[in-house]
């Protein structure tokens, strides 16, 4: 059993407190290859029907892009909507959108991230911000991420920061700028100024 698999199992099925403080980064799942990935996917699918109080397997299904998870998630939601935790319902909405990768949703997500209009059932703004990275470097999506980078909501700022990292992980200049300012511990003016610098780099 590789270290990557142990890390996956710990993050998705281990002590929940770690997820509570750190979330579930996609590389925890996508780093797995071959037989270990197959095993991990099977574990996630098996756990989904009982995920009414634990969003981790749901989010892992999203990272794995498991098409076979969609009917399970839809059944879980329809049968238990009133009993499900708000975070679980948000995770189902996020995972379903991530798996389907519907490019027609870009404008809806952008509107939700920037204006906070609740146009997607159960989805939270931080998850919508994260999903913008699914559309690559589309200008409308990048503009929304730069706006979200200086949002008043810390969770939205964190999602924007991480989404930009995913999109520009091979761009040294942008990564260095992202490293220079975190979503927390800086003033709004500093974040806005950094977003302007990022926009200038992207426009050159």
């Amino acid at each position: 059993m590789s270290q990557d698999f142990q890390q996956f199992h710990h993050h998705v099925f281990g002590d929940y407190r770690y997820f509570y403080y750190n979330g579930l980064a996609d590389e925890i799942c996508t780093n797995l290859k071959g037989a270990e990935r197959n095993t991990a996917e099977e574990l996630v699918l098996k756990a989904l029907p009982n995920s009414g109080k634990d969003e981790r397997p749901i989010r892992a299904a999203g990272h794995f892009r498991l098409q076979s998870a969609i009917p399970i998630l839809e059944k879980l939601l329809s049968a238990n909507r009133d009993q499900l935790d708000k975070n679980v319902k948000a995770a189902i909405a996020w995972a379903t959108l991530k798996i389907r990768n519907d490019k027609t949703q870009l404008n809806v997500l952008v509107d939700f991230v920037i204006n906070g209009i609740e146009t997607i059932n159960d989805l939270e703004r931080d998850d919508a911000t994260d999903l913008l990275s699914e559309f690559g470097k589309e200008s409308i999506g990048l503009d929304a991420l730069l706006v979200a980078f200086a949002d008043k909501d810390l969770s939205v700022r964190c999602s924007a920061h991480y989404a930009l990292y995913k999109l520009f992980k091979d761009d040294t200049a942008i990564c260095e700028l992202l490293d220079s300012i975190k979503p927390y511990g800086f003033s709004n003016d500093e974040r806005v100024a950094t977003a302007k610098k990022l926009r200038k780099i992207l426009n050159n």
Side-chain angles (χ1 to χ4, degrees), residues 72-84:
I72 302 173
L73 294 176
E74 289 177 340
K75 183 177 180 180
L76 177 65
L77 185 62
S78 63
N80 305 280
R81 177 178 285 277
D82 293 338
Q83 289 77 40
L84 290 177

Side-chain angles (χ1 to χ4, degrees), residues 174-194:
I174 290 180
C175 286
E176 287 180 351
L177 192 52
L178 291 171
D179 283 335
S180 72
I181 183 168
K182 301 299 182 185
Y184 46 84
F186 291 85
S187 70
N188 184 64
D189 288 342
E190 289 172 311
R191 291 192 294 271
V192 169
T194 302

Side-chain angles (χ1 to χ4, degrees), residues 55-195:
E55 65 190 272
R56 292 176 297 171
I58 298 169
R59 293 192 176 275
H63 289 315
F64 283 134
R65 302 179 190 276
L66 293 175
Q67 294 291 333
S68 54
I70 290 180
I72 302 173
L73 294 176
E74 289 177 340
K75 183 177 180 180
L76 177 65
L77 185 62
S78 63
N80 305 280
R81 177 178 285 277
D82 293 338
Q83 289 77 40
L84 290 177
D85 183 83
K86 178 183 178 182
N87 291 335
V88 170
K89 289 190 285 189
I92 291 173
W94 170 86
T96 301
L97 286 166
K98 190 176 181 74
I99 294 167
R100 286 184 169 143
N101 195 26
D102 184 356
K103 299 302 184 184
T104 66
Q105 292 294 311
L106 176 57
N107 288 334
V108 177
L109 288 168
V110 166
D111 191 40
F112 185 32
V113 169
I114 294 178
N115 301 313
I117 299 172
E118 297 186 27
T119 53
I120 304 174
N121 290 338
D122 300 314
L123 192 69
E124 298 289 338
R125 284 182 65 234
D126 57 336
D127 282 333
T129 303
D130 175 75
L131 287 169
L132 290 177
S133 64
E134 299 294 307
F135 297 87
K137 298 175 183 178
E138 290 277 352
S139 58
I140 185 175
L142 288 178
D143 285 342
L145 284 175
L146 292 175
V147 172
F149 188 83
D151 197 89
K152 293 180 180 180
D153 189 317
L154 174 60
S155 62
V156 172
R157 295 200 303 270
C158 288
S159 287
H161 197 268
Y162 182 55
L164 288 166
Y165 252 120
K166 287 191 289 185
L167 287 170
F168 296 100
K169 60 184 178 181
D170 297 322
D171 189 312
T172 303
I174 290 180
C175 286
E176 287 180 351
L177 192 52
L178 291 171
D179 283 335
S180 72
I181 183 168
K182 301 299 182 185
Y184 46 84
F186 291 85
S187 70
N188 184 64
D189 288 342
E190 289 172 311
R191 291 192 294 271
V192 169
T194 302

